[in-house]
Amino acid sequence: MSRGGAEPAQTEDQGGADGPGDPGRHRHAPGLHGVPVWQSSRPGSIYDYIRVASFSLGPDGRIDQWSERAADMLGIPARYALGKDPVAAFVPNELRETGRRKVSEILDGREWTGLVPYRREPDGDTEGLAEIYVMPSETESGERAAVCLVVDVRALRGIETDLAASQAVFGQSPMGFTLFGTDLKLLRVNERFATVFGGPAGKYRGCSPHDFLPRPEAERMAAALRRVLDTGEPVTEMQLVGAVPGEGDRRRWSVSLYRLHGASGRPIGVAALAADVTGRRRAEREAANARRNLALLNEAGARIGNSLDLETTARTLLDVAVPQFCDLASVDLYQGLLAGDEAPPGMSDGSAELRRVAFASAVSDAPLATSTCCIPDGGSPDDPVAVGAVHRYPFNSPCAGALRTGQAQIIPGRESDDGPELGAVVHSTLAVPMVARDTVVGLVQFSRTKGSEPFGERDTALAVELAARAAVCIDNARLYRREHERALILQRSLLPPGDPEAAGLDIACRYLPGTTATEVGGDWFDVIELPGHRTALVVGDVMGRGLRAAVAMGELRTAVRTLALLDLEPAEVLSALDEIARGLGGSGDGRSAPRSARGRTGAAANVPEHGALARTADLSEVYLATCVYAVYDPVTRRCTFANAGHLPPVLVEEGEDALLLDVPPGMPLGVGGEPFEEIDVDLPDGALLALYTDGLVESRDHPLEEGLQAFRRALSDADRPLEDVCDHVLSALDTSHGEDDIALLMARVHGLPKDAVGDWSLAPEARSVARARELARDQLTDWGLQELVDTTELLVSELVTNALRHGQGEIRLRLLLDRTLVCEVWDADLAQPRRRRARDTDEGGRGLQLVGLLSTGWGSRRTPRGKTVWFELALPDGESEAVDPTEALLSLF
């Protein structure tokens, strides 16, 4: 320290120049009224980093003062340095002569600066290199002395290296690099920062965040800087948004902040490292959109198409799209397509009528607004289109263009000040045609309201994909509906009428599809009137569902009716059906399945084994069927059964429990190889007979035996009306399982009363013809059918005469009265009568022609002991006149 006059007092926190921890931290600054005062220098002084020490040499060249910093820096305590020759103590031997010469020059009053190696005591090894600045001085007695300042060269070189490195990093960093002081003002910015915001780097010295960021972002930045400076906790990747001068786009930066400390540990400011993440943010947003789109497509694939209903498919599409993809959406389908037209008119130009089948909104329950220029029927373009309404698009509208071209159209929203209608808030709409198999089936519109991002190219591609998926499903539903309707018409046309009638039987029937989707199936039943007031009851089940099963059912039912009219025995009918089914169930090339694939032994199950038959086409499987065929005679009250792999009929007699009839099961139709058996069962009056398919009693939830028992229990209370019995059975059993179709045919037996039957035996002689006319006349008179007496006498005479001429054995005459009058003539000859056209010159041969003219029907059938020839007459109804026998007879000539 200099000597002389009084010096101002130091402040409380200041020490000497060599005081530990605060070297050189005082600076002279003006105070009140310009009087200089001592104050601490700001944090970050250079002396915090440069290691500086001092000592002094006396007139004798020896050390007379040794500072504590010198002891700390050089590692030599004061007791080893004071009073020693610095050259002899610290300089190596080979340099001592030069050292003494320099000390002499210094004591002569010369300043000197240089590098001096030194050894640390007490070990004496050379460890460092010091830069010494020697300043001559005088003692109080005027003798020459010296004050020496020592700087550690290693620390100085480190500072230089660090400074060069920091300068390179600061100046060459591709990211914005800034330094804020403790007052949160910029001390320095790098060129990257200056390039982004414009102007030279020096322009920003002393600026605050408010000078280059928008106010909200600047306040966030300033708060973060203050928090980091106060707490020392860094902030990483804080997102800031701002505009770059000269660019219209907003930029996004990721800023990291950390506090800076001086060598003494005191905070000196905050460093900020900023990176432009606008591109990364855009990429992240696009990736998020891509993930959203993929998730949306995945959801659409999982949900759209689960229903074959057009409206349900359209609503599912909107459930997927709103609100994940848009705010509002609607689906329009061509009205002609919904009506079932193959080629709806006007589809080519997009102006045909459409029906709005679905609408969804995340912002309002109102229909989609009028920005798309819809014209509802009977309305104006400004009227909204409600779900179910029929409308059309004007030819020049964007929606009509989309329908016409098959390309999606982006429709901008309209600006309106008229009110808060929905059209004023929709700012972007995508009109996407629904294209399936190169055919436009409708239009879907996706709309976004203000506040949502407008539609872009990726959105358009996604909307097209969603619409295409829905369009294919809708077209599939349309095709299915068309096939389903045709098959349903076919099936219903083949089923018997709702209230079939039969002599001696009360009939009730039910048909239930498995589910709405499988309404068309292969179950069938039929009631066929046979000669002699007999009735054939048929129930069958074709394996499979859909149009093939319906076609197979129709073919088999037609075959059954044809065979039944031949009046074959039930076993013969099933045998013929089996051959027909085997021919229908061929491999597709006109050849039937090989017999080796069919069961040949009675030990076979009721279904074919796996093998060649199982490997044939699906068509052969469709034409496998089970069937039970029964013929009921109301005169004898006897029913003859034959079974082809079907479940046995159930019989309920009055006062008895329901009983499964022991009918031989037989093999299914189409399998072949085994003859069918038949049995006769006497049915008393009042008995109930039930024929059914396996869908009624079989389910995955319970075994077949359990279902049969439940069916028998449901039939135990069979005294109620027959229609009520049917309803009771269906409600008591599990008929809603949807696994198979259900056919139920029930008949209550009451037979023909004895007074409705006239039965006589006639001798094979000529006078029997007159006897037959007499018997017929008397019987019809007793029945009150005098109007039919003449016709019946004539026709009975013809049949008995033919039996005498062409038959043999005893003749039997039988008259049956029910809904019609039936006359049967029996004889023992097997030859069937054949109707022929007689020539004008023929004296005979017109008998059967006359029978055909006067009766409503006639025919013949074989019996176990011969044949039966019969004719049928309609009963008088009081409205239509009977055919005059005389006129009919004359018409033959």
Side-chain angles (χ1 to χ4, degrees):
M1 302 294 294
S2 60
R3 297 171 283 117
E7 295 179 353
Q10 296 178 352
T11 58
E12 183 179 352
D13 63 342
Q14 294 168 341
D18 294 329
D22 292 312
R25 288 195 179 174
H26 309 94
R27 59 192 176 98
H28 201 236
L32 295 175
H33 309 291
V35 178
V37 297
W38 292 94
Q39 68 178 26
S40 299
S41 61
R42 66 180 182 180
S45 171
I46 189 62
Y47 296 106
D48 288 344
Y49 303 95
I50 300 177
R51 302 183 66 185
V52 179
S54 65
F55 63 90
S56 63
L57 300 178
D60 56 358
R62 295 181 179 274
I63 299 173
D64 61 358
Q65 289 187 17
W66 190 258
S67 67
E68 293 181 1
R69 178 66 67 86
D72 177 66
M73 186 177 70
L74 301 177
I76 302 174
R79 63 180 179 273
Y80 292 109
L82 291 175
K84 290 187 178 181
D85 179 4
V87 176
F90 311 121
V91 177
N93 294 331
E94 63 273 12
L95 299 177
R96 288 179 180 178
E97 183 178 351
T98 303
R100 289 191 176 94
R101 186 169 58 252
K102 292 297 183 182
V103 171
S104 298
E105 293 176 356
I106 291 169
L107 295 176
D108 288 340
R110 296 179 59 184
E111 292 186 358
W112 181 82
T113 302
L115 297 177
V116 177
Y118 64 90
R119 294 178 301 178
R120 299 172 66 96
E121 292 290 345
D123 52 21
D125 296 332
T126 301
E127 290 192 1
L129 187 65
E131 185 174 26
I132 299 178
Y133 177 52
V134 182
M135 298 172 288
S137 63
E138 292 182 358
T139 64
E140 292 181 358
S141 60
E143 295 179 299
R144 291 289 185 177
V147 175
C148 303
L149 296 180
V150 183
V151 178
D152 189 349
V153 175
R154 291 179 303 174
L156 189 61
R157 296 295 181 264
I159 291 174
E160 292 176 352
T161 303
D162 292 344
L163 182 61
S166 64
Q167 182 68 19
V169 171
F170 199 88
Q172 301 173 20
S173 173
M175 295 179 289
F177 203 102
T178 62
L179 294 178
F180 289 88
T182 54
D183 56 356
L184 304 186
K185 300 291 186 180
L186 281 173
L187 298 177
R188 187 177 180 186
V189 301
N190 68 346
E191 292 297 329
R192 174 58 180 167
F193 180 91
T195 301
V196 170
F197 289 98
K203 168 185 174 182
Y204 295 95
R205 188 181 300 275
C207 293
S208 69
H210 291 81
D211 296 322
F212 54 87
L213 287 176
R215 181 175 179 179
E217 299 295 87
E219 291 177 352
R220 289 180 57 225
M221 179 73 170
L225 288 169
R226 175 58 61 189
R227 185 168 61 254
V228 171
L229 187 62
D230 292 342
T231 65
E233 296 180 0
V235 172
T236 58
E237 297 187 357
M238 180 177 66
Q239 301 292 312
L240 295 176
V241 178
V244 175
E247 296 184 12
D249 296 338
R250 293 169 64 85
R251 312 290 291 179
R252 181 180 292 272
W253 295 280
S254 175
V255 179
S256 296
L257 307 175
Y258 57 94
R259 191 170 69 181
L260 299 177
H261 302 84
S264 63
R266 296 177 62 185
I268 62 173
V270 178
L273 189 63
D276 190 340
V277 295
T278 306
R280 187 178 72 185
R281 179 67 176 177
R282 185 181 298 113
E284 291 175 351
R285 185 169 58 251
E286 292 179 356
N289 290 338
R291 287 193 298 270
R292 181 200 65 182
N293 293 349
L294 288 176
L296 205 62
L297 289 177
N298 183 59
E299 182 181 2
R303 296 179 59 183
I304 297 177
N306 292 332
S307 172
L308 289 175
D309 181 74
L310 299 176
E311 289 78 4
T312 300
T313 301
R315 287 194 297 269
T316 304
L317 168 63
L318 300 192
D319 290 341
V320 172
V322 178
Q324 293 89 342
F325 177 69
C326 61
D327 299 316
L328 305 100
S330 64
V331 176
D332 300 324
L333 297 180
Y334 277 115
Q335 175 70 1
L337 182 145
L338 292 171
D341 297 341
E342 292 295 329
M347 289 182 64
S348 59
D349 62 4
S351 62
E353 289 185 340
L354 298 105
R355 185 193 304 170
R356 180 146 296 174
V357 296
F359 170 77
S361 172
V363 296
S364 173
D365 294 333
L368 195 65
T370 58
S371 61
T372 52
C373 301
C374 305
I375 303 180
D377 280 355
S380 66
D382 292 330
D383 294 334
V385 179
V387 174
V390 177
H391 65 95
R392 65 178 69 244
Y393 293 106
F395 179 81
N396 294 326
S397 66
C399 292
L403 291 169
R404 186 167 52 251
T405 63
Q407 302 295 322
Q409 303 279 342
I410 297 181
I411 307 172
R414 66 176 187 175
E415 297 294 336
S416 175
D417 297 328
D418 299 337
E421 69 272 10
L422 194 58
V425 300
V426 173
H427 75 88
S428 183
T429 297
L430 265 175
V432 185
M434 306 179 73
V435 183
R437 301 176 180 91
D438 297 328
T439 301
V440 178
V441 299
L443 183 77
V444 57
Q445 297 181 62
F446 304 102
S447 298
R448 288 179 178 173
T449 57
K450 293 179 180 179
S452 301
E453 293 184 1
F455 290 110
E457 293 184 2
R458 292 181 182 271
D459 296 323
T460 304
L462 176 61
V464 170
E465 179 65 22
L466 290 175
R469 294 193 179 194
V472 171
C473 295
I474 287 175
D475 195 52
N476 289 340
R478 177 184 67 86
L479 295 176
Y480 167 78
R481 184 180 64 180
R482 183 180 66 184
E483 178 183 352
H484 176 267
E485 290 176 351
R486 292 177 178 177
L488 195 59
I489 292 173
L490 172 64
Q491 184 185 46
R492 290 177 176 172
S493 67
L494 295 176
L495 289 174
D499 298 317
E501 296 180 351
L505 295 174
D506 291 332
I507 303 294
C509 52
R510 296 289 187 273
Y511 176 81
L512 298 179
T515 62
T516 303
T518 60
E519 189 170 352
V520 179
D523 290 12
W524 94 92
F525 61 90
D526 208 348
V527 179
I528 307 171
E529 294 186 63
L530 300 179
H533 284 317
R534 293 171 303 133
T535 303
L537 303 176
V538 189
V539 169
D541 184 1
V542 177
M543 297 183 185
R545 293 191 183 124
L547 186 58
R548 283 186 175 184
V551 170
M553 178 270 288
E555 292 176 321
L556 291 178
R557 178 176 180 270
T558 302
V560 169
R561 279 191 160 269
T562 303
L563 295 170
L565 294 178
L566 296 177
D567 213 354
L568 302 176
E569 295 297 324
E572 294 177 334
V573 171
L574 293 186
S575 296
L577 272 181
D578 180 56
E579 290 295 331
I580 293 173
R582 287 159 55 191
L584 294 176
S587 60
D589 57 359
R591 297 172 296 177
S592 61
R595 289 182 180 269
S596 59
R598 307 183 182 107
R600 295 182 178 274
T601 65
N606 289 343
V607 293
E609 299 177 359
H610 293 289
L613 184 61
R615 292 190 298 268
T616 55
D618 291 341
L619 188 60
S620 64
E621 295 181 1
V622 167
Y623 285 115
L624 291 175
T626 62
C627 179
V628 61
Y629 185 88
V631 176
Y632 173 69
D633 188 342
V635 178
T636 64
R637 291 168 174 78
R638 178 171 296 172
C639 190
T640 303
F641 294 92
N643 193 359
H646 203 81
L647 294 174
V650 176
L651 178 64
V652 185
E653 298 185 16
E654 288 183 317
E656 302 290 339
D657 293 334
L659 174 67
L660 288 175
L661 294 179
D662 188 14
V663 179
M667 298 294 291
L669 302 176
V671 175
E674 288 294 327
F676 296 97
E677 302 179 43
E678 60 185 42
I679 63 169
D680 294 329
V681 179
D682 292 330
L683 303 180
D685 286 349
L688 180 66
L689 181 66
L691 306 179
Y692 53 96
T693 57
D694 56 359
L696 181 66
V697 295
E698 191 173 21
S699 173
R700 297 174 184 170
D701 299 331
H702 56 74
L704 176 61
E705 290 299 327
E706 183 178 332
L708 289 173
Q709 292 178 4
F711 183 35
R712 292 168 58 189
R713 287 194 300 270
L715 288 174
S716 60
D717 185 13
D719 297 335
R720 65 183 72 185
L722 197 57
E723 293 290 338
D724 294 344
V725 174
C726 283
D727 295 336
H728 174 68
V729 168
L730 295 180
S731 62
L733 300 181
D734 179 19
T735 58
S736 59
H737 50 73
E739 298 172 10
D740 199 0
D741 306 328
I742 295 174
L744 175 63
L745 177 62
M746 304 185 73
R748 177 166 284 145
V749 178
H750 52 74
L752 287 180
K754 292 183 179 180
D755 58 2
V757 179
D759 195 348
W760 306 275
S761 294
L762 303 174
E765 53 190 20
R767 61 180 181 177
S768 294
V769 176
R771 176 61 179 166
R773 290 197 297 267
E774 180 183 358
L775 293 172
R777 181 174 56 251
D778 292 343
Q779 184 65 67
L780 263 63
T781 301
D782 292 342
W783 286 340
L785 299 176
Q786 288 82 358
E787 297 181 20
L788 299 180
V789 169
D790 293 341
T791 302
T792 303
E793 283 189 28
L794 178 60
L795 298 184
V796 166
S797 177
E798 287 293 333
L799 295 186
V800 173
T801 300
N802 284 342
L804 287 173
R805 288 181 179 178
H806 306 291
Q808 58 183 358
E810 187 182 46
I811 300 173
R812 181 182 176 188
L813 172 64
R814 189 168 74 170
L815 295 179
L816 306 175
L817 177 62
D818 192 68
R819 292 176 293 115
T820 61
L821 175 67
V822 175
C823 176
E824 297 176 333
V825 176
W826 306 52
D827 65 69
D829 187 64
L830 296 177
Q832 297 291 315
R834 182 174 59 87
R835 181 179 177 179
R836 65 183 180 88
R837 179 173 295 279
R839 295 188 297 271
D840 294 342
T841 57
D842 291 342
E843 295 181 359
R846 297 179 177 85
L848 292 181
Q849 293 186 42
L850 184 62
V851 173
L853 284 173
L854 295 179
S855 66
T856 57
W858 76 277
S860 67
R861 68 179 186 274
R862 284 193 292 270
T863 64
R865 297 180 180 179
K867 69 176 181 295
T868 299
V869 182
W870 59 271
F871 68 85
E872 185 176 8
L873 296 177
L875 300 181
D877 56 5
E879 297 180 0
S880 58
E881 295 183 0
V883 178
D884 185 359
T886 304
E887 294 294 333
L889 185 60
L890 293 176
S891 68
L892 298 178
F893 296 93

